[in-house]
Amino acid sequence: MTDSIQKTLRDSAAMRWTALLLLALAMFCSYIFMDILSPIKDLMLSERGWDSTAFGTMQGSEVFLNVFVFFLIFAGIILDKMGVRFTAILSAAVMLVGAIIKWYAVSDSFAGSGLETWFTNNLNYIPVFDELGVSPFYEGMPASAKFAACGFMIFGCGCEMAGITVSRGIVKWFKGREMALAMGSEMALARLGVATCMIFSPYFARLGGHISVSRSVAFGVVLMCIALIMTIVYFFMDKKLDAQTGEAEEKDDPFRIKDLGQILTSSGFWLVALLCVLYYSAIFPFQKYAVNMLQCNLTLSEPASNSFWAGSSVTIIQYAIMLVVAAFGFASNFQKQKSRQYGMLAISIIALITYCFMGYMRQSAESIFAVFPLLAVLITPILGSYVDHKGKAASMLVLGSLLLIACHLTFAFILPLFKGNAIGGVIVAYITILVLGSSFSLVPASLWPSVPKLVDAKVIGSAYALIFWIQNIGLWLFPLLIGKVLDKTNPDVVNGLANGSITAEQAAVSYDYTWPLVMLACLGVAALLLGFILKAVDRKKGLGLEEPNIK
């Protein structure tokens, strides 16, 4: 019996990490598409007429069906009943369909079409949803934004389904092993998608000197095709594992609605879920506006058109350097020889400094914000390994909240003081972005591996689905709120754009982001308070959140 167990794929480190890589690459592609329009918010205003309210409403639509049609709850049930394999392929296929719709919505083919006319004249009033103030559309919303929102809703259903599927898949392959390290590593790789998006979305939009926002979205569609291929390969690996172990995930312990009572009656679960929605609401919606926030607060001057820094090749070089930062920084965590570990770490740090210098020389806000996940890639495996062997997951959530508060307040009050100081502003921006990225890495390394400690194994999929559903409420609400707050607190920009006293290009980089950032900092304060409560409950009830995963 022992010999047969040792022959399973799960007991091979290479095979289980290969399975993780397939899932992580699929999420990498979905993270790119999720924020594909974020670094070109200014172009969406000048090219498609999307003001901040339209942009925020469209961005928030990603999770609309998950929240208000409870699709995520159904996704969790599908996952528990049908298993990881089926749900992984289904989620990738749904994401691809949504991505194609969003691409068509922002394409030149949509402009002037009968479909554009229909969207202009319809969906201006949605019964019940309008009365509740949660409609994904509004009267006067550009038709392209409405149709893009429809596609983004469909994409969001697949993306969040993929999120809970990946979490369940990692539990399946890594439970009792290096699970926190696996979850942290998956998120580290996936978050490189954020950096990739920030680098290449503007690159494709401006390729050849002709602006086309649809090219950026088309790039994302191609990546979603790749994500589907990754899940198909994972399907066969997972199927072979079940054949070796004799497991039949779809048939054992069938899902029952009453099992949800185990989840909903857990105080630890609710604290973790609320922490999740507060923390992620202060991060993901911010990503959608971060590049524009930097454009409005930094003094950036375009390099001469005939210089190396203005050419397209510098984008490829800078991205290659970014990959060096990520690869050597990540690999340094797994070196047993200290000399090799420190050597790789030194290469990563030198490459990071080089990348930052190139970002400054390019005078590119999107290039500057792209460093966001790089420090996370470096330290997430360290944090995951620490949780596996030492514990302290709840303490890490508290630390992450403190860093989150500090970063948003720095963006709100300190960065604007450096307006006019080209070098000083960029340095403050780089440091704050890197710290925020490191704060972000504390959450997946500590929060997600804690969920199996709070609920029974047979309802893990539903538990993750409930957490993601609660999280999605914030991910729907806060992109919309940021857009509305921006327009309300910047009447000069809104009125100037309306009466033609300023151009769309000028308006796009003239917003004051102080109050949206203060709002996000307040979310961090609430998360910090919940973190302290969670530590107290953990001590009282012995949830094991501060205990290591590997004993």
Side-chain angles (χ1 to χ4, degrees), residues 7-160:
K7 293 179 181 178
T8 65
L9 293 178
R10 184 162 49 202
D11 291 287
S12 167
M15 289 296 100
R16 65 175 178 267
W17 283 94
T18 298
L20 176 71
L21 181 62
L22 292 171
L23 293 174
L25 285 174
M27 292 307 296
F28 169 83
C29 295
S30 70
Y31 266 55
I32 293 176
F33 193 86
M34 188 188 305
D35 279 318
I36 200 71
L37 296 182
S38 299
I40 55 173
K41 176 180 180 291
D42 57 327
L43 297 182
M44 298 312 298
L45 175 59
S46 60
E47 299 297 312
R48 292 294 182 267
W50 296 11
D51 60 12
S52 292
T53 299
F55 183 82
T57 303
M58 192 285 302
Q59 293 283 37
S61 69
E62 177 195 356
V63 296
F64 181 83
L65 295 178
N66 292 323
V67 174
F68 296 106
V69 189
F70 305 104
F71 182 82
L72 255 179
I73 306 300
F74 297 122
I77 295 173
I78 292 171
L79 176 57
D80 282 329
K81 289 185 70 70
M82 303 303 294
V84 174
R85 296 191 298 273
F86 173 86
T87 314
I89 291 182
L90 176 63
S91 63
V94 171
M95 284 193 289
L96 179 58
V97 171
I100 292 172
I101 293 173
K102 186 174 179 179
W103 164 75
Y104 181 70
V106 300
S107 69
D108 293 335
S109 300
F110 178 77
S113 66
L115 198 56
E116 182 187 41
T117 302
W118 189 91
F119 273 93
T120 299
N121 297 330
N122 294 278
L123 300 180
N124 294 313
Y125 171 75
I126 310 296
V128 181
F129 289 109
D130 266 284
E131 278 72 17
L132 294 174
V134 297
S135 176
F137 314 109
Y138 61 87
E139 189 170 1
M141 185 175 181
S144 58
K146 287 182 186 176
F147 193 36
C150 293
F152 213 22
M153 288 180 201
I154 296 172
F155 170 84
C157 290
C159 187
E160 297 304 318

Side-chain angles (χ1 to χ4, degrees), residues 301-321:
S301 303
E302 288 190 19
S305 59
N306 60 349
S307 72
F308 167 74
W309 303 109
S312 59
S313 61
V314 69
T315 301
I316 309 299
I317 295 172
Q318 194 176 19
Y319 187 67
I321 293 174

Side-chain angles (χ1 to χ4, degrees), residues 297 410-421 424-425 428:
N297 282 300
T410 299
F411 284 132
F413 297 108
I414 297 178
L415 184 61
L417 297 178
F418 287 84
K419 184 74 172 179
N421 186 334
V428 171

Side-chain angles (χ1 to χ4, degrees), residues 169-405:
I170 293 174
V171 170
K172 178 177 182 178
W173 283 79
F174 285 88
K175 190 171 184 179
R177 297 175 175 86
E178 55 279 84
M179 187 165 63
L181 176 61
M183 286 191 173
S185 299
E186 180 269 324
M187 287 307 298
L189 178 58
R191 286 199 182 113
L192 272 179
V194 178
T196 304
C197 171
M198 297 301 161
I199 289 287
F200 283 106
S201 180
Y203 171 79
F204 283 110
R206 297 184 171 92
L207 189 65
H210 170 68
I211 294 177
S212 172
V213 294
S214 65
R215 277 200 300 259
S216 295
V217 185
F219 165 63
V221 171
V222 171
L223 291 176
M224 294 320 304
C225 293
I226 296 174
L228 179 59
I229 294 171
M230 294 296 101
T231 58
I232 292 173
V233 176
Y234 173 83
F235 176 95
F236 290 104
M237 281 193 68
D238 195 80
K239 186 175 182 179
K240 184 174 182 179
L241 173 65
D242 281 358
Q244 291 176 332
T245 60
E247 296 175 0
E249 187 178 43
E250 297 81 15
K251 299 177 182 179
D252 289 348
D253 292 320
F255 176 86
R256 294 170 296 180
I257 294 295
K258 67 179 182 179
D259 289 335
L260 290 177
Q262 301 175 28
I263 303 172
L264 299 178
T265 55
S266 169
S267 59
F269 167 82
W270 278 110
L271 287 170
V272 167
L274 290 174
L275 261 169
C276 177
V277 68
L278 290 169
Y279 192 88
Y280 276 76
S281 294
I283 292 288
F284 283 121
F286 171 72
Q287 284 180 191
K288 300 181 186 301
Y289 291 87
V291 170
N292 189 237
M293 183 274 294
L294 293 176
Q295 290 171 336
C296 295
N297 282 300
L298 296 178
T299 301
L300 300 173
S301 303
E302 288 190 19
S305 59
N306 60 349
S307 72
F308 167 74
W309 303 109
S312 59
S313 61
V314 69
T315 301
I316 309 299
I317 295 172
Q318 194 176 19
Y319 187 67
I321 293 174
M322 176 190 293
L323 294 181
V324 171
V325 176
F328 279 86
F330 185 81
S332 68
N333 293 288
F334 303 93
Q335 302 305 312
K336 295 181 179 180
Q337 296 181 7
K338 291 295 182 183
S339 59
R340 293 189 63 182
Q341 181 182 26
Y342 293 143
M344 287 187 168
L345 196 58
I347 293 174
S348 180
I349 292 173
I350 293 170
L352 177 60
I353 294 172
T354 304
Y355 174 90
C356 290
F357 171 75
M358 294 182 71
Y360 168 73
M361 293 301 295
R362 291 185 65 194
Q363 294 286 284
S364 164
E366 55 268 21
S367 178
I368 292 171
F369 184 72
V371 302
F372 174 68
L374 292 187
L375 194 58
V377 172
L378 173 61
I379 69 173
T380 298
I382 299 174
L383 297 172
S385 181
Y386 186 86
V387 172
D388 281 331
H389 295 91
K390 302 293 183 181
K392 304 298 181 183
S395 298
M396 286 190 178
L397 293 173
V398 169
L399 178 58
S401 299
L402 283 170
L403 294 176
L404 176 71
I405 297 167

